Amino acid sequence: MSSFLEFLQSNKHKTFRPKKKFSPGTMRYNLHKQAVATLHSGVDLKAAVRMPANENLDDWIAVHTVDFFNRINLMYGTIADACTPATCPTMSGGLKYEYLWQDGTAYKKPTRLPAQEYITKLMDWIETRINDENLFPTSMDVPFPSDFRQTCKKILTRLFRVFVHIYIHHFDRIVQLSAEAHANTLYKHFYFFVTEYNLVSTKELEALKDMTNKLLACQGPGKPR
């Protein structure tokens, strides 16, 4: 796992968006550090997503949602040069899955976009929300809004679609970078987290069901057998 975190760190210049950070000294910063330390320890990923005793679930979900945004952002940055309107004219996952963009403001109806544009808008959309103090308060004295978990479900569902596109259309690029073990580790961590807390629907996860089953059957985070 440490090599995975080191890989992301070494490629941080390729990040698609500035990294969201927690303020040092805050409870959520400490929770973030605790989660990262658990990953560094090499603990089983399924165990790593379980919330520590006496912690607040909304805090745990907030920390992981931001961390997954940062890391998936970095992963996409490593292959972004291969994801162009010419190579990826739609935001798709093979022939069966296509994702249309809708944000309720500029795009009131589901709209077909090139993958690069879709992901750009997606990252902008997420960044706006995780930087919104009303949605992701940084002070422990400010409660999370009533729709906080629903917001996180939507964020994580859309981040899952980035995995779908990368795995189906750009995994050869990941392999060229010798980063498949890192990508698989990130995906497994994400998958265990969202299924542990029911944050991405089973229907949505169907897009990578076969690959997920192979990954979970493997020993370790490497390439599926």
Side-chain angles (χ1 to χ4, degrees), residues 23-214:
S23 300
T26 65
M27 187 67 73
R28 287 180 197 127
Y29 176 82
N30 293 336
L31 200 57
H32 160 72
K33 287 297 184 184
Q34 183 177 351
V36 170
T38 301
L39 292 178
H40 271 299
S41 71
V43 71
D44 178 79
L45 287 169
K46 195 166 186 178
V49 303
R50 293 176 190 142
M51 186 177 67
N54 303 317
E55 295 295 349
N56 177 276
L57 182 56
D58 283 343
D59 285 324
W60 190 239
I61 291 173
V63 164
H64 281 80
T65 298
V66 172
D67 277 351
F68 285 130
F69 166 72
N70 288 334
R71 292 174 185 175
I72 294 168
N73 179 21
L74 279 168
M75 184 174 73
Y76 181 72
T78 64
I79 62 91
D81 59 337
C83 185
T84 68
T87 62
C88 306
T90 61
M91 178 60 181
S92 60
L95 298 176
K96 190 175 179 181
Y97 296 94
E98 181 179 352
Y99 304 113
L100 305 180
W101 181 253
Q102 183 178 19
D103 55 23
T105 53
Y107 294 82
K108 296 185 183 299
K109 296 181 179 180
T111 304
R112 180 178 285 113
L113 295 174
Q116 184 184 63
E117 187 176 353
Y118 182 105
I119 293 172
T120 297
K121 292 187 183 302
L122 166 58
M123 295 301 181
D124 284 343
W125 181 85
I126 296 174
E127 187 176 25
T128 297
R129 277 148 187 78
I130 63 178
N131 285 322
D132 185 340
E133 289 285 334
N134 294 314
L135 293 175
F136 280 74
T138 54
S139 170
M140 299 297 287
D141 297 327
V142 179
F144 287 99
S146 59
D147 62 347
F148 172 72
R149 292 188 197 177
Q150 196 59 41
T151 297
C152 288
K153 284 183 178 182
K154 194 162 187 178
I155 289 172
L156 292 165
T157 295
R158 288 182 162 182
L159 284 174
F160 174 75
R161 295 173 181 178
V162 179
F163 275 120
V164 174
H165 184 72
I166 290 174
Y167 268 103
I168 293 177
H169 295 284
H170 299 293
F171 199 73
D172 56 340
R173 178 72 173 140
I174 294 289
V175 172
Q176 287 173 8
L177 295 168
S178 299
E180 61 268 34
H182 308 301
N184 290 341
T185 298
L186 174 56
Y187 175 73
K188 287 170 70 175
H189 185 203
F190 178 92
Y191 176 83
F192 284 136
F193 186 80
V194 299
T195 53
E196 177 77 13
Y197 301 104
N198 193 30
L199 296 168
V200 176
S201 71
T202 302
K203 181 179 179 181
E204 191 79 29
L205 294 171
E206 283 284 326
L208 290 179
K209 182 179 179 180
D210 290 344
M211 186 211 74
T212 302
N213 290 338
K214 289 179 182 178

